[in-house]
Amino acid sequence: TRLSCPASQAKVTMTASQAKLEARAAAKTRRAAAHAALGGDAASRFADLFFAHVPLQPGAVIAGYAAIGDEADPSEILALAAARGHPIALPRVAAPASPLIFHLWTSGDPLEAGPHGTRHPAEDAAITHPALLLVPLLAFDGNGHRLGYGGGYYDRTLAALRKFNHGVIAVGLAFSVQEVTHLPHEPEDEPLDWIVTEHGARAFSGQIK
């Protein structure tokens, strides 16, 4: 069931930035409830639907993330992708207000603590440019807009990667209850190409590569 974003009933004078702040609290609550309800089954559901629907070039570098708290867990996708010959990368926060840097990573390699509760590969791990990114989020809508955490890291990262490679694919990973009817967005917000939930996968019109 799609839920209305609280920001959609806000005054028209409210800025997109202010509307996002109001939307985040409700989105966090919905995500936490979905994570608790689905338990350990979600990661395998995400993986089944990802590989059934999202197009992958042979040997393409896939970037994931080390899930924090109740984020949708990409671990099964990454494990199966590695088994199919895809190099795996994880992001590192290089500096505030900067794009993420991606380091090659193999399961079992140690992860270091990063800012905002993140975990990332060691700084001396090889740097790469992914062809596909799995992106965490708080909420998404039917136009491919994504509500993140407010730091703008993925927006800056996707903007930089899309200049480098127009074929880069951004795949949001989320529980179905994280979909809302409308999200406020700003010019610097980078859209998703796909969304994968525990119930299905969808390409967004106009964003398909």
Side-chain angles (χ1 to χ4, degrees):
T1 302
R2 297 185 184 181
L3 303 176
S4 294
C5 175
S8 63
Q9 286 84 41
K11 296 179 180 179
V12 294
T13 54
M14 179 179 288
T15 67
S17 181
Q18 290 171 325
K20 286 179 181 179
L21 287 174
E22 293 198 0
R24 284 190 178 100
K28 288 178 181 178
T29 298
R30 290 195 299 273
R31 189 177 71 178
H35 183 272
L38 289 169
D41 295 334
S44 60
R45 294 189 197 181
F46 293 144
D48 289 344
L49 291 161
F50 174 85
F51 287 105
H53 296 283
V54 179
L56 291 172
Q57 294 297 319
V61 178
I62 296 177
Y65 56 91
I68 303 170
D70 50 30
E71 286 181 339
D73 183 5
S75 60
E76 288 292 323
I77 295 176
L78 298 180
L80 288 172
R84 298 181 184 197
H86 293 279
I88 303 302
L90 295 180
R92 168 186 284 271
V93 176
S98 297
L100 298 167
I101 293 176
F102 292 90
H103 296 271
L104 290 174
W105 176 81
T106 300
S107 179
D109 289 350
L111 293 175
E112 300 176 349
H116 316 296
T118 58
R119 291 175 293 149
H120 54 229
E123 191 170 2
D124 60 357
I127 292 175
T128 189
H129 299 287
L132 182 146
L133 287 77
L134 297 171
V135 183
L137 53 88
L138 286 172
F140 68 95
D141 67 17
N143 293 314
H145 297 132
R146 164 188 172 271
L147 182 67
Y149 304 114
Y153 288 105
Y154 275 97
D155 292 315
R156 287 187 292 270
T157 300
L158 288 170
L161 287 173
R162 283 167 171 164
K163 287 181 181 179
F164 175 79
N165 175 6
H166 294 296
V168 168
I169 298 174
V171 180
L173 201 59
F175 300 103
S176 58
V177 297
Q178 292 176 250
E179 182 172 5
V180 298
T181 55
H182 170 74
L183 280 175
H185 59 280
E186 299 169 280
E188 63 270 22
D189 292 344
E190 290 286 327
L192 299 168
D193 299 295
W194 283 81
I195 189 73
V196 174
T197 74
E198 78 279 14
H199 292 313
R202 186 193 326 168
F204 293 109
S205 176
Q207 303 302 331
I208 305 172
K209 302 297 190 242

